Each structure stands twice: as structure tokens, then as C-alpha cells.
């Protein structure tokens, strides 16, 4: 199974862009990269996902390198409410026609006022 | 206006006991799930129900038995608890047929500790 590696923690000033890196050097060609976050005491919250191309939505941008061995989640204007643990996840095929999601250990992002 | 709720939030129990975790969603979704997140942060699907019918049953010990009294509720009963059952259990829901992670709404989780 593919494995992801993330820095354990990062700080970001409020209003600045937060760039969260993730290495997934063993990812296979058909395995998606997902990003989720967990705010304290809450369930996982979906942020964004992608396969090869860069993706953007109302929450964030996802930049995937051409060799797909790493990616960066960008929160363009971090707010205090973005303080959370951010997980880089690889989706692999599982049984029953569904998927297994392998979470990394996460990056604890602290947005500073 | 909680979307997906779980009770209890924390559960500490001894080996060999039987316990249940309850899940309710008020989103009007037809499909509900149970996931297990272990200490290594792997999130693995355990079960999925669509309109009270079991549609996904991953390789999970028979000690785990889901029960869906109606499509808004999916409970998880665990018999003869073992140390390895210690984990965070997440309930989730989605519209029928939408099974990818980005289309699911998660509950806050139940941290189960077996001593």
C-alpha cells in the first residue's frame, strides 16, 4: 500500500497562504490523493482530491508533481478556523467494489493571529 | 443541527465485554457507513448500509455486528471486546450510490479503549 509522509507540525500567520507538503513516493498510477482535516473532536472533513492534474475548489488548491510522488495542499488565506490536523491520504482499491483510505500521520497546522 | 452524530464520544471498557455505539444522521441520506481509524491513522471501511440493507461488509470479525433500525440510524455492536479493538470508530453517511470519500459526511467519532 502506498504510504504518505507529512511534517508533524507547521505554523502559519493568519491571512497568509498555508502550504502543506506530502510525499507519496510509492503511489500507483490509479491511486488518488485526498486531503482531509480533523478539527479537534470532530470527524474527518473533506478538502480536495486529485489524480494527476492540479485541482482547486472553494477551500483549497492541490498541486501534484508531474511524477506524482509528492503534492502540496494550499490554503490561500488561512484563518484561525483552519487550525486543525491535515491528513494526506492515498485511496487504494479494496474489496466489495469500494476503496481503502490510507491516512498519513498528519500535519498539525496552527494558524497564528 | 448536527448532521451525523455518534454516542458515546468516549468508551472505556474491559476485555470480554459487549458494547454498542450508536449513529444517527439527519441529512436524509440513504447510505450509512462505519469506519475504523486505528493508531496508525489508517481509516478503513467496515460496513455500509443502504436503506437498511447491508451492501458492504469488509473483512471484519464476526464479533462486530451492525444494526440499522431505519435509514437514519446505524448502530455498531461489538461482542467479546479485545485489546485490538481499541480505535476511533467513525460513522458516515452519503446519498445512495455515492461511495467515494469526498461525498460522505462523517460523525465526530467514538474513541473506544479496551483495557
Amino acid at each position: 500500500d502506498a504510504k504518505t509522509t507529512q511534517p508533524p507540525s507547521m505554523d502559519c500567520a493568519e491571512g497568509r497562504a498555508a502550504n502543506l507538503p506530502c510525499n507519496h513516493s510509492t503511489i500507483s498510477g490509479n491511486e488518488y490523493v485526498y486531503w482531509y482535516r480533523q478539527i479537534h473532536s470532530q470527524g474527518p472533513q473533506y478538502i480536495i482530491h486529485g489524480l494527476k492534474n492540479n485541482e482547486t475548489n472553494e477551500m483549497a488548491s492541490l498541486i501534484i508533481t508531474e511524477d506524482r510522488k509528492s503534492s502540496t495542499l494550499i490554503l490561500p488565506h488561512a484563518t484561525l478556523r483552519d487550525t486543525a490536523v491535515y491528513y494526506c491520504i492515498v485511496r487504494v482499491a479494496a474489496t466489495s467494489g469500494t476503496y481503502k483510505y490510507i491516512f498519513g500521520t498528519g500535519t498539525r497546522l496552527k494558524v497564528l493571529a | 443541527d448536527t448532521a451525523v452524530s455518534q454516542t458515546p464520544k468516549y468508551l472505556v471498557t474491559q476485555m470480554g465485554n459487549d458494547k454498542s455505539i450508536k449513529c444517527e444522521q439527519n441529512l436524509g441520506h440513504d447510505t450509512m457507513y462505519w469506519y475504523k481509524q486505528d493508531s496508525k491513522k489508517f481509516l478503513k471501511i467496515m460496513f455500509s448500509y443502504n436503506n437498511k440493507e447491508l451492501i458492504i461488509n469488509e473483512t471484519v470479525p464476526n464479533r462486530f455486528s451492525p444494526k440499522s433500525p431505519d435509514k437514519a440510524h446505524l448502530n455498531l455492536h461489538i461482542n467479546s471486546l479485545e485489546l485490538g479493538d481499541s480505535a476511533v470508530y467513525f460513522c458516515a453517511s452519503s446519498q445512495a450510490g455515492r461511495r467515494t470519500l469526498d461525498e460522505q459526511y462523517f460523525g465526530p467519532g467514538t474513541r473506544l479503549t479496551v483495557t
Side-chain angles (χ1 to χ4, degrees):
Chain A
D1 289 347
K3 185 178 174 183
T4 62
T5 306
Q6 300 175 251
S9 64
M10 289 180 65
D11 289 342
C12 177
E14 189 178 18
R16 303 296 294 268
N19 297 291
L20 293 95
C22 178
N23 287 322
H24 31 78
S25 57
T26 58
I27 197 169
S28 298
N30 60 349
E31 293 173 346
Y32 279 74
V33 177
Y34 278 70
W35 282 84
Y36 259 70
R37 71 182 183 185
Q38 278 186 274
I39 296 169
H40 182 62
S41 299
Q42 296 182 22
Q45 180 189 21
Y46 168 77
I47 301 174
I48 200 167
H49 74 286
L51 183 63
K52 294 180 184 177
N53 300 323
N54 297 337
E55 302 288 341
T56 295
N57 63 21
E58 65 279 3
M59 286 184 72
S61 294
L62 174 61
I63 308 298
I64 302 175
T65 58
E66 196 168 336
D67 62 10
R68 302 215 321 124
K69 292 186 177 181
S70 65
S71 60
T72 300
L73 177 74
I74 301 172
L75 306 178
H77 307 286
T79 70
L80 297 178
R81 288 179 295 178
D82 292 322
T83 293
V85 179
Y86 287 78
Y87 291 101
C88 175
I89 303 155
V90 172
R91 186 187 84 176
V92 303
T95 58
S96 307
T98 184
Y99 303 102
K100 182 167 65 177
Y101 297 90
I102 303 175
F103 279 49
T105 51
T107 296
R108 188 172 296 276
L109 175 69
K110 189 173 181 179
V111 180
L112 306 172
Chain B
D1 58 346
T2 305
V4 183
S5 60
Q6 295 178 228
T7 53
K9 192 170 181 179
Y10 299 97
L11 183 54
V12 181
T13 188
Q14 291 184 329
M15 284 176 56
N17 285 347
D18 302 338
K19 291 293 179 184
S20 292
I21 307 172
K22 296 186 177 181
C23 177
E24 177 181 2
Q25 55 94 4
N26 62 6
L27 296 166
H29 288 162
D30 296 305
T31 306
M32 296 185 71
Y33 311 79
W34 276 110
Y35 286 87
K36 179 181 179 181
Q37 187 177 35
D38 60 24
S39 58
K40 295 181 180 178
K41 301 297 184 182
F42 292 172
L43 188 70
K44 295 181 182 178
I45 192 168
M46 301 173 68
F47 302 102
S48 175
Y49 269 73
N50 186 59
N51 261 327
K52 303 194 296 175
E53 181 183 349
L54 181 66
I55 55 172
I56 294 175
N57 184 351
E58 288 292 307
T59 306
V60 176
N62 291 336
R63 300 180 294 102
F64 290 79
S65 54
K67 294 275 191 309
S68 182
D70 55 61
K71 72 175 191 178
H73 296 83
L74 181 62
N75 304 324
L76 184 65
H77 188 75
I78 314 170
N79 290 326
S80 304
L81 278 155
E82 301 177 357
L83 293 177
D85 297 333
S86 295
V88 180
Y89 292 84
F90 288 103
C91 176
S93 74
S94 70
Q95 296 283 5
R98 297 180 184 263
R99 297 185 188 176
T100 59
L101 198 63
D102 55 297
E103 294 162 320
Q104 297 177 22
Y105 293 76
F106 281 81
T110 295
R111 182 174 294 277
L112 171 66
T113 303
V114 182
T115 60

